[in-house]
Amino acid sequence: MAVASRANSDYGRFMDEVKDMSLFPLWERVGGLKPGTACVPAHWSYGTVRPHLLRACELVTKKEASRRVLCLENPSLRGTTFVAPSLFAGLQIILPGEIAPSHRHTPSALRFIVEGEGAYTAVAGEKLPMKPGDFVVTPAWAWHDHGNLGDKPVVWLDGLDTPFARFFGAAFYEPYPEDTQPLNRPEGESVAVYGANLIPDEFHSDGHSTPVLIYTYERTRAALDSMARAGKSHPVHGYRLRYANPATGKHPFPTMAVTMQRLPAGFAGQTYRSTGSAVFCVHKGTGRATLGEETVALSAHDVFVAPPWVPYAFAADSELELFSYSDRAGQEALGYWREQVG
Ligand code: 1HN
């Protein structure tokens, strides 16, 4: 109908007039509703990024930078600092003796420890010593500061849901008046109290973030070992475990789902896609990821992103372990989540 009347000058005048009134006819819109975005797959080899993290240590002090983070910015999202439409990813380096001052913000954050020992994050009054492969939780609006008490640089992957907060116009930030927050909970408390399949009877979850603030690799590895002994490997994901909020059984964040998966040597996975954006970090091993049309070689600590509805598949040369976080929790809560195997 619209096409037939396009030649009609009345129609032309109508279009001009409504445009001037900030009105747009839906029937003239090009491209309707379909899954996926313009976001492209991307891969950062750790070997390539690491020297630049070390260079950044020479060029900027932690004081100047507050957080010495190289953002993994998707080439399709230049200027945003985002790795995917809904997610932030960055590699942070902290030198011995340095402190990243305390602050809090409405976006939820996670750390996945990549390299080095002796660093800690203090979250909501608890000091959390971090080792490679550990996954550390920073719930929305929790005070957090970091320090390195060891003698080597420590590197971790920062994952945040900042695009969600920005999208809703709800990105608040507040610095703590001092560099460090008071540590008023004993070390190990969150795991001791909430992480043993038993929850204090009086505990009431707000349903948002997990009360467990650190999921150590030691425990994750043991769980993967048990799963690999007991179960069959998934044709796409191999042996994959989802980090759970023990109070709800659901995801550790309102927005982000977090997993660790093990692909045995020789694993060749089927192709898969979902509406989720997912960021992966190689914990250990070697293999390949086919992301859309491209296949990239994977080795320890590489980071890559699978955008919404872009097909991907994994192959493992040696036993491959992949940590990952995605916006699945948010999409599930909103009823958007879809996936497809093959
Ligand atoms: C942040 O607070 C940290 O606390 C790291 O270490 C990366 C990226 C965007 C916004 C806040 C941190 C961040 C961040």
Side-chain angles (χ1 to χ4, degrees), residues 33-47:
L33 293 169
K34 56 177 194 300
T37 69
C39 179
V40 294
H43 168 259
W44 292 265
S45 115
Y46 190 60

mmCIF file with all atom_site columns, all heavy atoms in Angstrom, residues 33-47:
data_model
loop_
_atom_site.group_PDB
_atom_site.id
_atom_site.type_symbol
_atom_site.label_atom_id
_atom_site.label_alt_id
_atom_site.label_comp_id
_atom_site.label_asym_id
_atom_site.label_entity_id
_atom_site.label_seq_id
_atom_site.pdbx_PDB_ins_code
_atom_site.Cartn_x
_atom_site.Cartn_y
_atom_site.Cartn_z
_atom_site.occupancy
_atom_site.B_iso_or_equiv
_atom_site.pdbx_formal_charge
_atom_site.auth_seq_id
_atom_site.auth_comp_id
_atom_site.auth_asym_id
_atom_site.auth_atom_id
_atom_site.pdbx_PDB_model_num
ATOM 1   N N   . LEU A 1 33 ? 12.406 -7.317  12.699 1.00 0.00 ? 33 LEU A N   1
ATOM 2   C CA  . LEU A 1 33 ? 12.957 -7.966  13.878 1.00 0.00 ? 33 LEU A CA  1
ATOM 3   C C   . LEU A 1 33 ? 13.626 -9.268  13.475 1.00 0.00 ? 33 LEU A C   1
ATOM 4   O O   . LEU A 1 33 ? 12.994 -10.127 12.854 1.00 0.00 ? 33 LEU A O   1
ATOM 5   C CB  . LEU A 1 33 ? 11.829 -8.240  14.882 1.00 0.00 ? 33 LEU A CB  1
ATOM 6   C CG  . LEU A 1 33 ? 11.200 -6.994  15.504 1.00 0.00 ? 33 LEU A CG  1
ATOM 7   C CD1 . LEU A 1 33 ? 9.946  -7.351  16.258 1.00 0.00 ? 33 LEU A CD1 1
ATOM 8   C CD2 . LEU A 1 33 ? 12.204 -6.298  16.417 1.00 0.00 ? 33 LEU A CD2 1
ATOM 9   N N   . LYS A 1 34 ? 14.896 -9.391  13.789 1.00 0.00 ? 34 LYS A N   1
ATOM 10  C CA  . LYS A 1 34 ? 15.596 -10.659 13.573 1.00 0.00 ? 34 LYS A CA  1
ATOM 11  C C   . LYS A 1 34 ? 16.725 -10.798 14.582 1.00 0.00 ? 34 LYS A C   1
ATOM 12  O O   . LYS A 1 34 ? 17.271 -9.782  15.031 1.00 0.00 ? 34 LYS A O   1
ATOM 13  C CB  . LYS A 1 34 ? 16.098 -10.776 12.137 1.00 0.00 ? 34 LYS A CB  1
ATOM 14  C CG  . LYS A 1 34 ? 16.995 -9.659  11.654 1.00 0.00 ? 34 LYS A CG  1
ATOM 15  C CD  . LYS A 1 34 ? 17.455 -10.000 10.242 1.00 0.00 ? 34 LYS A CD  1
ATOM 16  C CE  . LYS A 1 34 ? 18.600 -9.190  9.722  1.00 0.00 ? 34 LYS A CE  1
ATOM 17  N NZ  . LYS A 1 34 ? 18.453 -7.767  9.623  1.00 0.00 ? 34 LYS A NZ  1
ATOM 18  N N   . PRO A 1 35 ? 17.065 -12.053 14.949 1.00 0.00 ? 35 PRO A N   1
ATOM 19  C CA  . PRO A 1 35 ? 18.105 -12.231 15.973 1.00 0.00 ? 35 PRO A CA  1
ATOM 20  C C   . PRO A 1 35 ? 19.481 -11.822 15.450 1.00 0.00 ? 35 PRO A C   1
ATOM 21  O O   . PRO A 1 35 ? 19.725 -11.840 14.242 1.00 0.00 ? 35 PRO A O   1
ATOM 22  C CB  . PRO A 1 35 ? 18.046 -13.735 16.266 1.00 0.00 ? 35 PRO A CB  1
ATOM 23  C CG  . PRO A 1 35 ? 17.409 -14.350 15.070 1.00 0.00 ? 35 PRO A CG  1
ATOM 24  C CD  . PRO A 1 35 ? 16.508 -13.324 14.469 1.00 0.00 ? 35 PRO A CD  1
ATOM 25  N N   . GLY A 1 36 ? 20.363 -11.469 16.395 1.00 0.00 ? 36 GLY A N   1
ATOM 26  C CA  . GLY A 1 36 ? 21.728 -11.091 16.037 1.00 0.00 ? 36 GLY A CA  1
ATOM 27  C C   . GLY A 1 36 ? 21.880 -9.580  15.993 1.00 0.00 ? 36 GLY A C   1
ATOM 28  O O   . GLY A 1 36 ? 20.897 -8.840  16.046 1.00 0.00 ? 36 GLY A O   1
ATOM 29  N N   . THR A 1 37 ? 23.136 -9.158  15.964 1.00 0.00 ? 37 THR A N   1
ATOM 30  C CA  . THR A 1 37 ? 23.473 -7.727  15.930 1.00 0.00 ? 37 THR A CA  1
ATOM 31  C C   . THR A 1 37 ? 24.618 -7.526  14.943 1.00 0.00 ? 37 THR A C   1
ATOM 32  O O   . THR A 1 37 ? 25.075 -8.479  14.317 1.00 0.00 ? 37 THR A O   1
ATOM 33  C CB  . THR A 1 37 ? 23.960 -7.240  17.312 1.00 0.00 ? 37 THR A CB  1
ATOM 34  O OG1 . THR A 1 37 ? 25.249 -7.844  17.570 1.00 0.00 ? 37 THR A OG1 1
ATOM 35  C CG2 . THR A 1 37 ? 23.001 -7.592  18.435 1.00 0.00 ? 37 THR A CG2 1
ATOM 36  N N   . ALA A 1 38 ? 25.097 -6.297  14.862 1.00 0.00 ? 38 ALA A N   1
ATOM 37  C CA  . ALA A 1 38 ? 26.241 -6.014  13.990 1.00 0.00 ? 38 ALA A CA  1
ATOM 38  C C   . ALA A 1 38 ? 27.563 -6.397  14.669 1.00 0.00 ? 38 ALA A C   1
ATOM 39  O O   . ALA A 1 38 ? 28.631 -6.314  14.062 1.00 0.00 ? 38 ALA A O   1
ATOM 40  C CB  . ALA A 1 38 ? 26.246 -4.534  13.629 1.00 0.00 ? 38 ALA A CB  1
ATOM 41  N N   . CYS A 1 39 ? 27.499 -6.826  15.924 1.00 0.00 ? 39 CYS A N   1
ATOM 42  C CA  . CYS A 1 39 ? 28.712 -7.177  16.676 1.00 0.00 ? 39 CYS A CA  1
ATOM 43  C C   . CYS A 1 39 ? 29.408 -8.374  16.022 1.00 0.00 ? 39 CYS A C   1
ATOM 44  O O   . CYS A 1 39 ? 28.757 -9.342  15.641 1.00 0.00 ? 39 CYS A O   1
ATOM 45  C CB  . CYS A 1 39 ? 28.311 -7.504  18.119 1.00 0.00 ? 39 CYS A CB  1
ATOM 46  S SG  . CYS A 1 39 ? 29.690 -7.984  19.158 1.00 0.00 ? 39 CYS A SG  1
ATOM 47  N N   . VAL A 1 40 ? 30.734 -8.296  15.914 1.00 0.00 ? 40 VAL A N   1
ATOM 48  C CA  . VAL A 1 40 ? 31.492 -9.353  15.226 1.00 0.00 ? 40 VAL A CA  1
ATOM 49  C C   . VAL A 1 40 ? 32.271 -10.207 16.240 1.00 0.00 ? 40 VAL A C   1
ATOM 50  O O   . VAL A 1 40 ? 32.614 -9.733  17.329 1.00 0.00 ? 40 VAL A O   1
ATOM 51  C CB  . VAL A 1 40 ? 32.479 -8.758  14.190 1.00 0.00 ? 40 VAL A CB  1
ATOM 52  C CG1 . VAL A 1 40 ? 31.713 -8.074  13.063 1.00 0.00 ? 40 VAL A CG1 1
ATOM 53  C CG2 . VAL A 1 40 ? 33.480 -7.803  14.840 1.00 0.00 ? 40 VAL A CG2 1
ATOM 54  N N   . PRO A 1 41 ? 32.571 -11.458 15.871 1.00 0.00 ? 41 PRO A N   1
ATOM 55  C CA  . PRO A 1 41 ? 33.440 -12.260 16.733 1.00 0.00 ? 41 PRO A CA  1
ATOM 56  C C   . PRO A 1 41 ? 34.823 -11.613 16.805 1.00 0.00 ? 41 PRO A C   1
ATOM 57  O O   . PRO A 1 41 ? 35.247 -10.961 15.852 1.00 0.00 ? 41 PRO A O   1
ATOM 58  C CB  . PRO A 1 41 ? 33.540 -13.609 16.000 1.00 0.00 ? 41 PRO A CB  1
ATOM 59  C CG  . PRO A 1 41 ? 32.420 -13.624 15.029 1.00 0.00 ? 41 PRO A CG  1
ATOM 60  C CD  . PRO A 1 41 ? 32.156 -12.197 14.659 1.00 0.00 ? 41 PRO A CD  1
ATOM 61  N N   . ALA A 1 42 ? 35.509 -11.765 17.920 1.00 0.00 ? 42 ALA A N   1
ATOM 62  C CA  . ALA A 1 42 ? 36.858 -11.211 18.038 1.00 0.00 ? 42 ALA A CA  1
ATOM 63  C C   . ALA A 1 42 ? 37.671 -12.088 18.984 1.00 0.00 ? 42 ALA A C   1
ATOM 64  O O   . ALA A 1 42 ? 37.108 -12.751 19.868 1.00 0.00 ? 42 ALA A O   1
ATOM 65  C CB  . ALA A 1 42 ? 36.802 -9.779  18.555 1.00 0.00 ? 42 ALA A CB  1
ATOM 66  N N   . HIS A 1 43 ? 38.986 -12.078 18.775 1.00 0.00 ? 43 HIS A N   1
ATOM 67  C CA  . HIS A 1 43 ? 39.894 -12.940 19.539 1.00 0.00 ? 43 HIS A CA  1
ATOM 68  C C   . HIS A 1 43 ? 41.143 -12.145 19.898 1.00 0.00 ? 43 HIS A C   1
ATOM 69  O O   . HIS A 1 43 ? 41.696 -11.447 19.044 1.00 0.00 ? 43 HIS A O   1
ATOM 70  C CB  . HIS A 1 43 ? 40.251 -14.168 18.679 1.00 0.00 ? 43 HIS A CB  1
ATOM 71  C CG  . HIS A 1 43 ? 41.390 -14.980 19.220 1.00 0.00 ? 43 HIS A CG  1
ATOM 72  N ND1 . HIS A 1 43 ? 42.672 -14.880 18.711 1.00 0.00 ? 43 HIS A ND1 1
ATOM 73  C CD2 . HIS A 1 43 ? 41.447 -15.903 20.213 1.00 0.00 ? 43 HIS A CD2 1
ATOM 74  C CE1 . HIS A 1 43 ? 43.464 -15.708 19.388 1.00 0.00 ? 43 HIS A CE1 1
ATOM 75  N NE2 . HIS A 1 43 ? 42.755 -16.341 20.295 1.00 0.00 ? 43 HIS A NE2 1
ATOM 76  N N   . TRP A 1 44 ? 41.560 -12.202 21.157 1.00 0.00 ? 44 TRP A N   1
ATOM 77  C CA  . TRP A 1 44 ? 42.789 -11.551 21.607 1.00 0.00 ? 44 TRP A CA  1
ATOM 78  C C   . TRP A 1 44 ? 43.727 -12.633 22.106 1.00 0.00 ? 44 TRP A C   1
ATOM 79  O O   . TRP A 1 44 ? 43.399 -13.336 23.080 1.00 0.00 ? 44 TRP A O   1
ATOM 80  C CB  . TRP A 1 44 ? 42.503 -10.557 22.732 1.00 0.00 ? 44 TRP A CB  1
ATOM 81  C CG  . TRP A 1 44 ? 41.723 -9.354  22.300 1.00 0.00 ? 44 TRP A CG  1
ATOM 82  C CD1 . TRP A 1 44 ? 42.238 -8.138  21.931 1.00 0.00 ? 44 TRP A CD1 1
ATOM 83  C CD2 . TRP A 1 44 ? 40.293 -9.223  22.195 1.00 0.00 ? 44 TRP A CD2 1
ATOM 84  N NE1 . TRP A 1 44 ? 41.218 -7.278  21.601 1.00 0.00 ? 44 TRP A NE1 1
ATOM 85  C CE2 . TRP A 1 44 ? 40.019 -7.913  21.746 1.00 0.00 ? 44 TRP A CE2 1
ATOM 86  C CE3 . TRP A 1 44 ? 39.217 -10.094 22.415 1.00 0.00 ? 44 TRP A CE3 1
ATOM 87  C CZ2 . TRP A 1 44 ? 38.717 -7.447  21.534 1.00 0.00 ? 44 TRP A CZ2 1
ATOM 88  C CZ3 . TRP A 1 44 ? 37.921 -9.637  22.202 1.00 0.00 ? 44 TRP A CZ3 1
ATOM 89  C CH2 . TRP A 1 44 ? 37.689 -8.340  21.767 1.00 0.00 ? 44 TRP A CH2 1
ATOM 90  N N   . SER A 1 45 ? 44.872 -12.777 21.441 1.00 0.00 ? 45 SER A N   1
ATOM 91  C CA  . SER A 1 45 ? 45.835 -13.775 21.919 1.00 0.00 ? 45 SER A CA  1
ATOM 92  C C   . SER A 1 45 ? 46.588 -13.169 23.108 1.00 0.00 ? 45 SER A C   1
ATOM 93  O O   . SER A 1 45 ? 47.033 -12.009 23.062 1.00 0.00 ? 45 SER A O   1
ATOM 94  C CB  . SER A 1 45 ? 46.761 -14.187 20.768 1.00 0.00 ? 45 SER A CB  1
ATOM 95  O OG  . SER A 1 45 ? 48.072 -13.792 21.033 1.00 0.00 ? 45 SER A OG  1
ATOM 96  N N   . TYR A 1 46 ? 46.685 -13.940 24.190 1.00 0.00 ? 46 TYR A N   1
ATOM 97  C CA  . TYR A 1 46 ? 47.307 -13.406 25.406 1.00 0.00 ? 46 TYR A CA  1
ATOM 98  C C   . TYR A 1 46 ? 48.762 -13.042 25.149 1.00 0.00 ? 46 TYR A C   1
ATOM 99  O O   . TYR A 1 46 ? 49.266 -12.033 25.651 1.00 0.00 ? 46 TYR A O   1
ATOM 100 C CB  . TYR A 1 46 ? 47.199 -14.425 26.543 1.00 0.00 ? 46 TYR A CB  1
ATOM 101 C CG  . TYR A 1 46 ? 47.612 -13.851 27.878 1.00 0.00 ? 46 TYR A CG  1
ATOM 102 C CD1 . TYR A 1 46 ? 46.940 -12.766 28.412 1.00 0.00 ? 46 TYR A CD1 1
ATOM 103 C CD2 . TYR A 1 46 ? 48.677 -14.392 28.587 1.00 0.00 ? 46 TYR A CD2 1
ATOM 104 C CE1 . TYR A 1 46 ? 47.318 -12.221 29.637 1.00 0.00 ? 46 TYR A CE1 1
ATOM 105 C CE2 . TYR A 1 46 ? 49.055 -13.852 29.813 1.00 0.00 ? 46 TYR A CE2 1
ATOM 106 C CZ  . TYR A 1 46 ? 48.373 -12.765 30.325 1.00 0.00 ? 46 TYR A CZ  1
ATOM 107 O OH  . TYR A 1 46 ? 48.743 -12.234 31.534 1.00 0.00 ? 46 TYR A OH  1
ATOM 108 N N   . GLY A 1 47 ? 49.431 -13.856 24.318 1.00 0.00 ? 47 GLY A N   1
ATOM 109 C CA  . GLY A 1 47 ? 50.835 -13.588 23.988 1.00 0.00 ? 47 GLY A CA  1
ATOM 110 C C   . GLY A 1 47 ? 51.019 -12.217 23.352 1.00 0.00 ? 47 GLY A C   1
ATOM 111 O O   . GLY A 1 47 ? 52.051 -11.573 23.521 1.00 0.00 ? 47 GLY A O   1
#
